[in-house]
Amino acid sequence: MRLLRAALALLFLSAACARADERELTIETKGGAIHRFTVELALTPEEMQKGLMYRTELEADRGMLFFYPVCTPASFWMMNTLIPLDMIFIGADGRIVRIAQMTEPESLEIHESGEPVNGVLEVRGGLTERLGVGKGDFVRHPWFGAGGEARCD
């Protein structure tokens, strides 16, 4: 029954998010800084596979958010991605568990989460260092944290 409820919740969430391809999220640093972003949601397997490929620019307050309904080790590469990115790997509670900074465009190097995660946020390369965002900071979005959809059980 619990699995059925989780599947229905994810279906509802996906349908709601599909109506608008952008959402707001914030990152809260340990020092108390709050950074706001507008993100595109990668919801379908096709959107997740394409990600930010073929883009020639990404604004500093924009990004792409990938969501996994069940915790899973995540790995990304930069094939056909033309701009450097920071990949922020996110646990179910919204905690940043790892950041792959300034990933090399068009590289086949694999960037791994290092542990099971429920999401990944891609932002402009170098942005996390410039903003002072690091491991242990929190991504605030309806998918993560108290009452969120993400689960690692």
Side-chain angles (χ1 to χ4, degrees):
M1 187 65 167
R2 184 174 180 213
L3 187 57
L4 177 59
R5 277 195 300 250
L8 289 173
L10 181 60
L11 181 62
F12 176 78
L13 177 68
S14 296
C17 291
R19 287 193 292 268
D21 66 348
E22 294 186 344
R23 293 284 189 251
E24 302 297 317
L25 69 72
T26 59
I27 297 177
E28 295 178 16
T29 68
K30 291 181 279 286
I34 297 176
H35 305 287
R36 290 172 172 50
F37 293 87
T38 300
V39 294
E40 296 175 52
L41 304 175
L43 298 171
T44 68
E46 295 79 20
E47 291 169 336
M48 293 180 101
Q49 184 176 7
K50 184 176 179 186
L52 292 170
M53 288 181 177
Y54 309 109
R55 308 269 180 108
T56 56
E57 59 184 54
L58 182 63
E59 295 177 43
D61 64 345
R62 299 286 177 148
M64 181 169 280
L65 182 60
F66 300 77
F67 178 72
Y68 306 103
V70 176
C71 282
T72 187
S75 59
F76 284 66
W77 64 0
M78 295 288 288
M79 186 175 83
N80 299 321
T81 306
L82 308 176
I83 54 177
L85 298 173
D86 287 353
M87 297 175 188
I88 302 170
F89 296 92
I90 309 163
D93 60 357
R95 181 180 45 86
I96 296 173
V97 300
R98 180 175 183 277
I99 300 175
Q101 294 182 322
M102 287 298 293
T103 57
E104 180 183 347
E106 301 191 81
S107 169
L108 299 182
E109 178 184 356
I110 303 296
H111 303 280
E112 297 180 337
S113 60
E115 64 183 80
V117 295
N118 273 118
V120 179
L121 173 62
E122 292 181 335
V123 296
R124 181 191 285 182
L127 191 63
T128 56
E129 182 175 4
R130 187 171 65 79
L131 296 177
V133 172
K135 183 176 177 177
D137 292 343
F138 281 88
V139 174
R140 302 295 185 200
H141 184 274
W143 286 343
F144 309 109
E149 297 297 321
R151 296 289 179 259
C152 284
D153 35 50

